[in-house]
C-alpha cells in the first residue's frame, strides 16, 4: 500500500488566536485545510496546559472539518468518552502515556472514533508494533511535545521511514502523521520519508494568508515525491 498523496494538511489550533477561535477554525476550513488538529495538554504528561473537551464541543457545530484530537495526557482512559462525545473524529493517545495502550485503542474504536497512536521523539518506532492492527493513524512527534513553535527534529525522519514500512507491511490503510516544526522545508522532508498527514501550527496560523500557507505546504510536499 503506497503513501497517500498529496498529504493531508491539519492546522493546529494551538497556534490560533484563542480569543476568536471559532473564526480561526472557519478561516482554515475556507483556506483548504483537510483536518483540524486539536492538542489537549494536561500540564502533567507535557509541561503545558491548553484546553479540554468543552472547547471541542463548542467548536464542533461550527465546522465540517475532521477533528483530529491529540491527547497529551496521562492517565487518558478516564477521559476518552468525554472527548468522543465532544465531537472528536480521531483520538490519538501516546504510547508512553500508560501501560494498556492496546485496551485504550480498543475503547476508542468502540466509541465510534478512529484511533491513533503518537510517539515522542525518544520512543522507537518498534514501540507501536503490537498495536498496528488497531490504529488508523500513527503520529510522529517531530518536536518534544508541550509547546508550539519548536524546530523540526530531523533525526525523526528515519523513524517516519521505518513506520511507513511497518504500516505497509500490515496491508492496512494507516496514515503516518508528523507533528511539530512543519514548514515548507520540513514538509518536503517528512513527505519524502513517508508521511501523508502534516500537522501545521505557526506555518499556517502564524502566516497572514492561510490559503497561501496551506497551498505552500502542499506544493512543497508535491515536489518531494
Amino acid at each position: 500500500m503506497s503513501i497517500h498523496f498529496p498529504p493531508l494538511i491539519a492546522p493546529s489550533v494551538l497556534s490560533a488566536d484563542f480569543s476568536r477561535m471559532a473564526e480561526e477554525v472557519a478561516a482554515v476550513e475556507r483556506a483548504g485545510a483537510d483536518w483540524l488538529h486539536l492538542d489537549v495538554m494536561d500540564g502533567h504528561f507535557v509541561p503545558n496546559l491548553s484546553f479540554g473537551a468543552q472547547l471541542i464541543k463548542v467548536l464542533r457545530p461550527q465546522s465540517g472539518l475532521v477533528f483530529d484530537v491529540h491527547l497529551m495526557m496521562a492517565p487518558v482512559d478516564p477521559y476518552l468518552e468525554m472527548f468522543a462525545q465532544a465531537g472528536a473524529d480521531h483520538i490519538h493517545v501516546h504510547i508512553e502515556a500508560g501501560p494498556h495502550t492496546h485496551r485504550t485503542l480498543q475503547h476508542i474504536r468502540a466509541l465510534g472514533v478512529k484511533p491513533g497512536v503518537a510517539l515522542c521523539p525518544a520512543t522507537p518506532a518498534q514501540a507501536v508494533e503490537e498495536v498496528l492492527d488497531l490504529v488508523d493513524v500513527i503520529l510522529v512527534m517531530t518536536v518534544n511535545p508541550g509547546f508550539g513553535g519548536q524546530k523540526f527534529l530531523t533525526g525523526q525522519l528515519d523513524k517516519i521511514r521505518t513506520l511507513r514500512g511497518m504500516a505497509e507491511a500490515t496491508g492496512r490503510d494507516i496514515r503516518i502523521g508528523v507533528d511539530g516544526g512543519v514548514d515548507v522545508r520540513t514538509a518536503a522532508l517528512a513527505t519524502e520519508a513517508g508521511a501523508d498527514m502534516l500537522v501545521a501550527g505557526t506555518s499556517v496560523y502564524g502566516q497572514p494568508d492561510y490559503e497561501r500557507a496551506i497551498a505552500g505546504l502542499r506544493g512543497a510536499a508535491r515536489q518531494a515525491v
Side-chain angles (χ1 to χ4, degrees):
M1 184 170 295
S2 62
I3 184 174
H4 294 269
F5 187 77
L8 297 173
I9 307 297
S12 170
V13 298
L14 193 65
S15 298
D17 181 347
F18 274 44
S19 70
R20 41 192 296 275
M21 186 65 80
E23 296 170 50
E24 291 276 67
V25 171
V28 293
E29 186 167 9
R30 289 193 303 270
D34 299 293
W35 295 357
L36 189 75
H37 192 75
L38 299 116
D39 288 304
V40 179
M41 303 180 181
D42 66 355
H44 171 67
F45 180 69
V46 292
N48 199 6
L49 290 166
S50 59
F51 50 79
Q54 187 60 32
L55 178 65
I56 295 168
K57 183 177 181 179
V58 299
L59 291 175
R60 179 70 280 178
Q62 317 262 343
S63 176
L65 289 172
V66 169
F67 276 21
D68 188 55
V69 177
H70 178 192
L71 299 183
M72 288 177 264
M73 304 170 55
V76 70
D77 291 320
Y79 305 100
L80 296 175
E81 190 167 347
M82 177 188 302
F83 284 98
Q85 291 177 349
D89 294 295
H90 306 157
I91 293 178
H92 305 296
V93 296
H94 272 265
I95 193 74
E96 309 90 355
H100 304 298
T101 307
H102 192 283
R103 183 172 64 197
T104 300
L105 294 167
Q106 287 180 315
H107 188 188
I108 293 169
R109 181 83 70 188
L111 290 168
V113 177
K114 290 186 176 183
V117 65
L119 298 87
C120 290
T123 302
Q126 290 73 19
V128 302
E129 191 167 11
E130 298 300 326
V131 295
L132 289 174
D133 60 326
L134 296 175
V135 298
D136 292 313
V137 184
I138 302 170
L139 189 64
V140 179
M141 295 303 300
T142 44
V143 297
N144 285 294
F147 297 93
Q150 299 180 63
K151 290 185 178 181
F152 186 97
L153 298 172
T154 56
Q156 298 302 298
L157 292 169
D158 283 342
K159 184 189 295 184
I160 295 168
R161 292 187 185 96
T162 299
L163 287 166
R164 169 53 60 195
M166 291 167 62
E168 291 190 357
T170 69
R172 298 186 63 246
D173 187 7
I174 302 173
R175 285 197 178 264
I176 306 296
V178 296
D179 184 358
V182 171
D183 57 24
V184 290
R185 182 185 70 87
T186 58
L189 294 174
T191 304
E192 185 278 331
D196 53 12
M197 191 276 277
L198 305 174
V199 176
T202 55
S203 61
V204 172
Y205 276 119
Q207 307 306 309
D209 185 329
Y210 296 167
E211 184 173 2
R212 183 175 180 180
I214 290 170
L217 292 170
R218 284 205 181 97
R222 186 171 289 111
Q223 292 179 8
V225 175

